Amino acid sequence: MCAHGDSDAGGPGANDNGSGEAIVLEIARALAEARTSGDLPPLPAELRFAIWGSEIHSTRHYLQVMKEREAPFLGVLNFDQSGFGSAHDRFYVEPDDLPANRGLVELLGDLLG
């Protein structure tokens, strides 16, 4: 789970991406609390949290390192600019037409339904 910590000139400012950073930190806090209390069983795989310094450069570097280590890499949930631009509750999965993402899109749709 990740978010980028930078913002671009002419962008919406602190929301891009302070809101994404806040989501990643809150998910990490909630999962740690659930594990400590025993409400969440051990996870079947390692879960990592990252706040990237530079959205594109940092992401590419991390993926290259993981590829070189031949580490199993199941996926990424990237939180970017939450609560901005729409009066409707929505979530976006990019790319949403990638067959490997179909299960995730359906699961999130059912959960958020």
Side-chain angles (χ1 to χ4, degrees), residues 4-103:
H4 67 90
D6 64 344
S7 185
D8 57 45
N15 189 39
D16 185 12
N17 187 32
S19 59
E21 294 174 23
I23 290 170
V24 170
L25 293 171
E26 178 58 17
I27 291 171
R29 186 208 59 77
L31 288 174
E33 182 178 298
R35 285 288 300 128
T36 300
S37 70
D39 291 334
L40 180 68
L43 299 175
E46 180 181 30
L47 182 58
R48 293 183 179 188
F49 297 89
I51 304 295
W52 306 123
S54 168
E55 184 173 12
I56 303 301
H57 174 75
S58 297
T59 303
R60 286 183 179 155
H61 175 74
Y62 182 76
L63 290 174
Q64 183 61 39
V65 168
M66 294 300 287
K67 183 179 177 181
E68 289 170 4
R69 291 183 185 169
E70 297 181 3
F73 194 75
L74 301 176
V76 173
L77 293 177
N78 178 58
F79 297 90
D80 193 359
Q81 212 169 324
S82 177
F84 177 78
S86 177
H88 304 286
D89 291 334
R90 297 175 191 238
F91 75 95
Y92 296 93
V93 177
E94 296 175 7
D96 61 354
D97 61 347
L98 187 66
N101 287 343
R102 183 169 288 122

